[in-house]
Amino acid sequence: MSRGINILVLLFLALFVTGCAYTTKSELPGNIKTIEVTTFGNTTYYNNLEGALTREIIRAINLTPGLKVVNSGADAVLSGSIFKVSNTGLAYDSNYQPTQMSTVISANFSLYDNKEGYFAINNRVVASNYDSSTAGIYNESKNEVYDNAEDKSLAVLAQTIVRSMVSHW
């Protein structure tokens, strides 16, 4: 009996988590079906985040029903920039080396409606809000936790941008 309940709870959690990852329908105006995503800027000292974030945003948009990313001639253009990366130690070993890190990435974004000729969203600030206490064990020789935490934080940030964009309307 207990095992059956555990399986049901795990199934429910899996459905809940996957259901929360992306919106199930678009709240964008009917005139916006295609979006061009420009490569995001990056004013931080962390290299290559802009390309990874842009790829994650494209993936999140393409998983949103009713929307499609195109290279030109789009109904709307999404642009933005990463402006802050915060790495914070959450746990340390006996040598005061971090064993768990939290990475929060902040960005701003704008969505220009090409059809109506105005900024539907202008310079909205969002953050990854990723609790990366489970991001992994810090391995100094491989610098794993930073890469792992940044990747996860960028994916969450991309989903936050797309949800914010879609729920604006």
Side-chain angles (χ1 to χ4, degrees):
M1 181 82 150
S2 175
R3 182 178 175 159
I5 291 173
N6 288 341
I7 291 172
L8 285 176
V9 168
L10 287 174
L11 179 61
F12 174 77
L13 286 173
L15 289 172
F16 178 77
V17 169
T18 58
C20 292
Y22 299 98
T23 182
T24 57
K25 65 178 185 127
S26 175
E27 298 292 332
L28 288 169
N31 67 324
I32 296 180
K33 302 278 188 222
T34 59
I35 297 177
E36 177 183 343
V37 180
T38 64
T39 300
F40 268 51
N42 180 4
T43 60
T44 72
Y45 294 106
Y46 293 84
N47 296 327
N48 305 318
L49 295 180
E50 60 278 5
L53 176 60
T54 303
R55 284 188 297 278
E56 289 292 335
I57 290 170
I58 290 169
R59 182 176 7 184
I61 290 172
N62 283 330
L63 290 172
T64 303
L67 291 180
K68 179 181 177 185
V69 174
V70 296
N71 291 329
S72 63
D75 301 330
V77 177
L78 178 66
S79 60
S81 183
I82 299 167
F83 64 86
K84 184 176 181 182
V85 177
S86 299
N87 288 307
T88 305
L90 300 175
Y92 298 87
D93 65 16
S94 60
N95 295 320
Y96 302 105
Q97 295 298 313
T99 58
Q100 290 182 329
M101 297 288 289
S102 172
T103 299
V104 177
I105 301 174
S106 301
N108 58 29
F109 75 95
S110 299
L111 182 70
Y112 188 79
D113 185 331
N114 283 332
K115 297 229 175 190
E116 299 296 326
Y118 73 102
F119 278 99
I121 300 171
N122 193 17
N123 209 25
R124 180 170 294 166
V125 174
V126 292
S128 58
N129 294 326
Y130 178 66
D131 175 10
S132 59
S133 60
T134 59
I137 302 301
Y138 179 70
N139 182 328
E140 189 174 347
S141 66
K142 294 183 180 179
N143 209 16
E144 285 178 352
V145 76
Y146 290 111
D147 293 340
N148 193 10
E150 284 175 2
D151 290 347
K152 289 180 180 183
S153 194
L154 285 170
V156 170
L157 181 59
Q159 292 169 11
T160 302
I161 288 170
V162 173
R163 276 196 303 266
S164 180
M165 178 183 68
V166 169
S167 67
H168 176 72
W169 283 275

